[in-house]
Amino acid sequence: MAGNWKMYKTAGDTTVFFERFLPLVATSTHADIAICPTYVNIPAAVAAAGNSRVGIGAQNLYWAKEGAFTGEISGPMLKAAGCEYVIIGHSERRQYFGETEETVLKRTLAAIEHGLKPIVCVGERLEERESNNTETVLRAQFDGGIAPLTAEQFAQITIAYEPVWAIGTGKTATPDMAADAHRFIRGLVAARFGDAAAAATRILYGGSVKPDNVKGLMAQPEIDGALVGGASLEAASFASIVNF
Ligand code: PGA
């Protein structure tokens, strides 16, 4: 269960969130829990999470270790700051910041090399779904960004299926729609990495997951968890999602 805080909250807000959130998930051993704040709030989140079960993640990384890349952050820097996870290829990065399959792959390889667990996002846009191209798009994203990994590298990643039309819009995919897409993605994994890898891989659903729809989504055996934006910003709301 991962929270993507996008460009929200200050360091102070981050500390307050954890004070409220940690007691609510202290016994939630059924799930791995991650919070992904903005880069500058990672130290506050790591300090506030302490020895709890909540892992901290970044929302992106650059693939070089270091160098003259003004404004970028590397894997070793995130690792040293205490990150365990990193979101890669979020649709907002694809849409506004020129992310492509090629850069998704580069970032994923760098994350794995530096001991971070990538959460790699895929998902179709509305016009792609409406023109019956969902599977074509998911296949292209998988082939370009994920299939080139070795089996050992693939075992380190979590996939997040996030239909772009459901992100921040209040429109969730129905549990059946999400499960269909997850089944298709798992089939791509099976074809490339084998049945055991497909069964073991975790595929999260993301897109307007809320306390009142998480149960229906999680009732689908194909859905292994959630990547949550808006509803992860408030401690009680994200805790009730974690504890669905
Ligand atoms: P949302 O965002 O839950 O606010 O729709 C999900 C995401 O972008 O990861």
Side-chain angles (χ1 to χ4, degrees), residues 34-48:
I35 294 278
C36 303
T38 59
Y39 290 134
V40 290
N41 294 329
I42 287 169
V46 168

Side-chain angles (χ1 to χ4, degrees), residues 4 6 90 162 166-168 207-209 227-230:
N4 171 12
K6 309 192 179 184
H90 189 278
E162 298 207 311
I167 295 177
S208 298
V209 176
L227 179 54
V228 185

Side-chain angles (χ1 to χ4, degrees), residues 1-4 31-36 85-88 117-123 138 157-163 167 173 178-179 181-183 185-186 200-207 209 214 217-218 220-229 238 244:
M1 291 298 197
N4 171 12
D32 290 336
I33 307 168
I35 294 278
C36 303
Y85 300 95
V86 58
I87 298 171
I88 294 174
K117 298 174 188 160
I119 301 171
V120 181
C121 303
V122 297
L138 293 177
I157 79 165
T158 297
I159 298 173
Y161 168 63
E162 298 207 311
I167 295 177
H182 282 221
R183 201 170 297 115
I185 294 165
R186 211 177 291 279
T201 198
R202 292 190 287 191
I203 307 180
L204 312 183
Y205 169 77
V209 176
V214 64
L217 290 160
M218 291 305 295
Q220 295 284 342
E222 278 292 341
I223 301 179
D224 301 310
L227 179 54
V228 185
F238 190 46
F244 65 95

Side-chain angles (χ1 to χ4, degrees), residues 3-24:
N4 171 12
W5 280 1
K6 309 192 179 184
M7 201 174 72
Y8 290 99
K9 291 193 191 290
T10 62
D13 298 336
T14 301
T15 307
V16 169
F17 174 92
F18 277 90
E19 279 166 13
R20 293 180 183 153
F21 181 65
L22 292 183
L24 302 175

Side-chain angles (χ1 to χ4, degrees), residues 54-98:
V54 181
I56 304 305
Q59 298 171 17
N60 189 23
L61 85 169
Y62 191 62
W63 49 82
K65 276 194 203 74
E66 60 181 9
F69 302 105
T70 301
E72 294 299 314
I73 307 261
S74 74
M77 292 169 189
L78 294 177
K79 189 73 187 171
C83 280
E84 182 178 351
Y85 300 95
V86 58
I87 298 171
I88 294 174
H90 189 278
S91 65
E92 285 150 18
R93 303 242 31 115
R94 294 176 187 263
Q95 189 177 352
Y96 305 126
F97 303 102

Side-chain angles (χ1 to χ4, degrees), residues 167-221:
I167 295 177
T169 57
K171 285 188 204 161
T172 338
T174 64
D176 284 335
M177 275 162 96
D180 281 348
H182 282 221
R183 201 170 297 115
F184 178 74
I185 294 165
R186 211 177 291 279
L188 296 172
V189 174
R192 166 66 184 87
F193 296 104
D195 289 342
T201 198
R202 292 190 287 191
I203 307 180
L204 312 183
Y205 169 77
S208 298
V209 176
K210 308 285 178 210
D212 62 5
N213 62 24
V214 64
K215 221 178 164 126
L217 290 160
M218 291 305 295
Q220 295 284 342

